[in-house]
Amino acid sequence: MRFALSAERLAFAASLHDLLAAADTPAVARGFAAGDYEPGRTLWKRLAELGVAALTVPERWGGLDAGPVDVVVAFEELGHHAVPGPVVESAAAAIVLAESGVTTWLTDLARGEVMASVALPPHVPYALDASVAAPVLAVEHDALSRVDATGGARSAAMSSVDPARRLFTVTGGEVLARGEEVRRAAAHAFELGALATAAQMLGAGRALLEMATGHAKARVQFGRPVGSFQAVKHRLADVYVALELARPLLFGAAIAVADRSEAAARDVSAAKVACAEAAYRAARAALQVHGAVGYTRECDLGLWLTKVRALMSAWGTGTVHRARVRAALAGREVRR
Amino acid sequence: MIFEEEYYAAGAPARVSQNGIFLLAPTLFAHGTEEQRARLLPRMARADDVWAQAWSEPEAGSDLAAIRSVAVRADGGWLLRGQKTWSSRATYADKGFGLFRTDPTAERHRGLTYLLFDLRAAGVTVRPIPQLDGEPGFAEIFFDEAFVPDADVVGEVDQGWRVAMSTASNERGLTLRSPGRFCAAADRLVDLWRRVGDASEAAPADRVVDAWITAHAYRLRTFGTATRLLEGGTLGPESSVDKLVWSELDVALHETALELLGAEAELSGPDGPDGGRWLSGYLFSLAGPIYAGTNEIQRDVIAERLLGLPRGDRR
């Protein structure tokens, strides 16, 4: 058994990193927060050229049908660079649509021509960035609806702790599909969305550790870099440990989802819990190491910190995901 | 890894030979001579010789390079003088391995040599030290002109630091602290929670979940480490991550078990629940963040060698 990313996947991650590092993503995120969506849409189209938008779309609709491991590789880099917009939602919407037999938007989604949003209550009650998305979908019980159609309604935009995110409650609309396959599609989309969100948090946590480490090397107090003090070193070492321990859970969960393993829900939830805790630990440490400058809107650190805080409760809170692990453990045979 | 997983899942006992097979054997694979391997390994594997490690000294704990015990040139070998302490298993072991200063003019990491010695030899005195848990798990060793033949030098004379450090990673993860050990303990904790846990109390259940997640993560992480080794990589400073993970997990796991056990938690030995295994496991776990390099030293290693932060006041 080999448990490591292939050279192709490492190259995919590196190409995404190169594109995003040169794209001034903090400016894109700030633009999104200010209601200027065009740079975000343009960035999404460029990511689509590298295949990101097509990952969860079946091949016959121009997609890559790439599977959860590639999704995790890509979304870790999106989180690493704080890419704004309904990116997880677009990937999840493609699954809901394709597996419910609704093919209308799949080709456009694969090309990055449109972004979609989706509400999957109870754990995903809001449609993220519905103002930039089309279609906006919602699954209620076994019915898949398009909310941005006749009869549909969405609330006014609600602001998030992450200024780049806008949340909407959605109701009504046109029913696109109904039945057991919708229920199954929504369940699958939830696992993938939670996994992609966990991946974004791992990437964001890495970015926060990089910022904190860079600052600790450069900032001089008492005549020496603050990173030479053990209190700072040990805090950042603990962040590194948490991130390094969350990573194998994330990839293990991606493999479990790909294999349609019975343990997939447990493993996705374990990954979401661990990635959230690690990223949050990174956010707290990065802020503390930066000191007051980290607490300013001007400092990019806040883009990642608020994104992590938002993603912690998106696609299932820690409580929700711990309960899923607990349920799996409660019903499981213990080896002696 | 597969063997270790099955070994611990079966509830098999701790192995008297573990410090030999997991710490000295990898060192002999890398630095020993053909003659040493042929002479020492079969007896080690059969537990005919039980091995103890002898790193720490009264003035050299976390600062291991401050070692003062010396080996002085003699006819056909070396004479050992000095004192080692916190030597695990020395109380009942047959032989030991450790670092001794062979070049008194050299500073710190230089001038040390990796030597094997007979704990029953003339000039060697072992004094057991009762531990917190009451077991004589470690001991002091006093050397007074104890003779070591040249055949028991591992690696080059004066190159002992490099020899010792090249396999120190084994103690921090992978073999001696195989994930199987902690997965088995996490499974027992889940079982305990299902037997005695109160379903209406979410807090202890969350701690059980978190311990299980960490054990599961450590297992997957070790698959990654094994993959790296199989593909020609080496164990480096990354093993400090493992040491922090298992040592803190082991404490958390046993603390959670004691929480689940309520007032019974303090009952010890045969009076205790499950034969007292949770309490004895807890006491044993408390040593984990101290031995094999304290967790503070491991965090320094991570900060300096993996994150590239500047060295502090340590030389």
Side-chain angles (χ1 to χ4, degrees), chain A residues 233-243 281, chain B residues 244 248 299:
Chain A
K233 276 184 185 170
H234 287 192
R235 187 151 187 184
L236 296 182
D238 283 339
V239 171
Y240 182 82
V241 171
L243 292 169
R281 189 188 275 259
Chain B
L244 288 172
E248 292 181 0
R299 287 187 175 93

Side-chain angles (χ1 to χ4, degrees), chain A residues 1-3 213 217 230 233-234 237-238 240-241 245 248-249 266-267 322 326 329-330 332 334-336, chain B residues 6 9 187 191 193-194 205-206 210 212 216-217 220 223-224 227 231 238 296 299-300 304 307-308 310 312:
Chain A
M1 181 184 130
R2 188 173 184 278
F3 192 70
T213 305
K217 288 178 192 171
Q230 245 181 355
K233 276 184 185 170
H234 287 192
D238 283 339
Y240 182 82
V241 171
L245 201 59
L249 284 170
R266 178 197 73 185
D267 290 354
R322 279 198 175 84
R326 196 163 70 224
L329 295 181
R332 145 173 188 277
V334 175
R335 289 209 306 172
R336 315 213 130 257
Chain B
E6 294 303 321
D187 280 349
D191 182 49
W193 166 66
R194 296 201 306 195
D206 279 351
D210 286 348
W212 182 87
H216 187 55
L220 291 171
F223 289 157
T227 302
E231 295 179 355
E238 278 290 334
E296 286 67 30
R299 287 187 175 93
D300 280 356
E304 292 168 11
L307 296 178

Side-chain angles (χ1 to χ4, degrees), chain A residues 245 249 269-271 273-274 322 325, chain B residues 208-218:
Chain A
L245 201 59
L249 284 170
S269 285
V273 167
R322 279 198 175 84
V325 178
Chain B
V208 172
V209 164
D210 286 348
W212 182 87
I213 288 176
T214 304
H216 187 55
Y218 181 46

Side-chain angles (χ1 to χ4, degrees), chain B residues 27-221:
Chain B
T27 308
L28 292 175
F29 295 153
H31 302 283
T33 63
E34 234 3 274
E35 184 277 326
Q36 285 172 331
R37 288 193 281 266
R39 172 163 54 94
L40 302 172
L41 292 174
R43 290 182 56 81
M44 177 194 295
R46 288 194 302 264
D48 289 344
D49 291 331
V50 172
W51 288 86
Q53 69 199 45
W55 304 125
S56 296
E57 297 183 2
E59 303 302 327
S62 286
D63 185 10
L64 188 60
I67 281 172
R68 292 177 181 180
S69 292
V70 296
V72 180
R73 240 323 164 195
D75 190 20
W78 302 83
L79 288 172
L80 307 186
R81 234 179 266 148
Q83 181 186 353
K84 294 286 180 182
T85 191
W86 318 134
S87 174
S88 297
R89 291 156 194 260
T91 303
Y92 50 83
D94 305 295
K95 292 170 186 297
F97 53 94
L99 290 178
F100 293 82
R101 199 160 289 285
T102 37
D103 179 356
T105 64
E107 287 273 303
R108 307 271 303 158
H109 308 82
R110 286 178 285 277
L112 298 170
T113 299
Y114 194 119
L115 296 173
L116 311 176
F117 52 87
D118 190 336
L119 281 162
R120 313 269 161 76
V124 178
T125 309
V126 175
R127 191 177 73 84
I129 306 172
Q131 300 181 156
L132 184 69
D133 61 4
E135 299 290 329
F138 48 35
E140 287 177 294
I141 310 172
F142 299 91
F143 300 93
D144 181 14
E145 310 289 313
F147 182 72
V148 169
D150 283 325
D152 285 341
V153 174
V154 179
E156 302 280 313
V157 170
D158 292 345
Q159 297 299 314
W161 185 264
R162 202 175 56 83
V163 174
M165 287 307 122
S166 71
T167 48
S169 300
N170 288 293
E171 193 178 9
R172 295 179 187 154
L174 204 63
T175 52
L176 187 55
R177 294 294 177 268
S178 166
R181 173 170 166 171
F182 304 100
C183 287
D187 280 349
R188 282 197 302 274
L189 178 66
V190 170
D191 182 49
L192 178 71
W193 166 66
R194 296 201 306 195
R195 281 189 285 130
V196 309
D198 180 341
S200 68
E201 288 181 352
D206 279 351
R207 290 171 65 178
V208 172
V209 164
D210 286 348
W212 182 87
I213 288 176
T214 304
H216 187 55
Y218 181 46
R219 177 172 188 260
L220 291 171
R221 172 179 164 77

Side-chain angles (χ1 to χ4, degrees), chain A residues 220-265:
Chain A
V220 173
Q221 289 285 273
F222 304 102
R224 51 202 263 204
V226 296
S228 67
F229 295 111
Q230 245 181 355
V232 172
K233 276 184 185 170
H234 287 192
R235 187 151 187 184
L236 296 182
D238 283 339
V239 171
Y240 182 82
V241 171
L243 292 169
E244 285 300 300
L245 201 59
R247 171 183 299 282
L249 284 170
L250 184 66
F251 285 97
I255 292 167
V257 172
D259 293 349
R260 308 226 169 218
S261 155
E262 281 179 21

Side-chain angles (χ1 to χ4, degrees), chain A:
Chain A
M1 181 184 130
R2 188 173 184 278
F3 192 70
L5 285 175
S6 63
E8 293 76 20
R9 285 183 170 129
L10 290 172
F12 180 44
S15 67
L16 293 176
H17 173 73
D18 291 346
L19 186 160
L20 292 168
D24 194 4
T25 51
V28 177
R30 289 180 191 282
F32 230 79
D36 177 11
Y37 301 130
E38 270 322 299
R41 285 185 195 276
T42 305
L43 182 60
W44 186 243
K45 278 181 203 154
R46 293 182 60 200
L47 287 165
E49 285 163 19
L50 292 180
V52 173
L55 290 171
T56 57
V57 178
E59 285 179 24
R60 59 183 295 211
W61 307 106
L64 294 170
D65 204 6
V69 176
D70 291 291
V71 169
V72 162
V73 169
F75 278 81
E76 183 183 341
E77 276 312 313
L78 299 191
H80 190 204
H81 294 278
V83 172
V87 291
V88 171
E89 291 67 23
S90 293
I95 288 178
V96 174
L97 289 168
E99 295 183 10
S100 300
V102 181
T103 59
T104 320
W105 294 278
L106 293 176
T107 308
D108 284 346
L109 276 170
R111 287 194 196 128
E113 295 294 328
V114 300
M115 299 184 92
S117 190
V118 60
L120 296 173
H123 303 315
V124 188
Y126 306 117
L128 175 69
D129 294 329
S131 45
V132 288
V136 177
L137 308 172
V139 176
E140 197 74 54
H141 307 296
D142 67 346
L144 168 62
S145 303
R146 182 187 169 197
V147 183
D148 53 340
T150 312
R154 67 172 205 228
S155 67
M158 294 183 284
S159 50
S160 157
V161 59
D162 175 359
R165 287 165 66 89
R166 286 176 187 74
L167 303 166
F168 297 83
T169 53
V170 291
T171 49
E174 173 197 352
V175 175
L176 301 172
R178 190 186 288 279
E180 210 38 49
E181 78 268 18
V182 171
R183 216 188 277 274
R184 276 198 302 272
H188 183 204
F190 176 73
E191 301 301 341
L192 193 107
L195 195 63
T197 303
Q200 280 195 302
M201 286 193 286
L202 185 70
R206 262 176 56 214
L208 286 156
L209 178 59
E210 287 160 6
M211 283 180 252
T213 305
H215 186 79
K217 288 178 192 171
R219 172 71 172 163
V220 173
Q221 289 285 273
F222 304 102
R224 51 202 263 204
V226 296
S228 67
F229 295 111
Q230 245 181 355
V232 172
K233 276 184 185 170
H234 287 192
R235 187 151 187 184
L236 296 182
D238 283 339
V239 171
Y240 182 82
V241 171
L243 292 169
E244 285 300 300
L245 201 59
R247 171 183 299 282
L249 284 170
L250 184 66
F251 285 97
I255 292 167
V257 172
D259 293 349
R260 308 226 169 218
S261 155
E262 281 179 21
R266 178 197 73 185
D267 290 354
V268 166
S269 285
K272 176 79 163 54
V273 167
C275 289
E277 300 251 316
Y280 188 63
R281 189 188 275 259
R284 288 291 316 279
L287 176 59
Q288 195 66 23
V289 167
H290 276 73
V293 72
Y295 197 70
T296 62
R297 274 262 163 134
E298 190 188 345
C299 182
D300 287 341
L301 176 75
L303 301 175
W304 276 268
L305 185 148
T306 56
K307 187 180 190 70
V308 165
R309 187 49 258 185
L311 294 180
M312 284 172 79
S313 50
W315 292 88
T317 62
T319 302
V320 166
H321 285 291
R322 279 198 175 84
R324 295 203 325 159
V325 178
R326 196 163 70 224
L329 295 181
R332 145 173 188 277
E333 285 297 307
V334 175
R335 289 209 306 172
R336 315 213 130 257

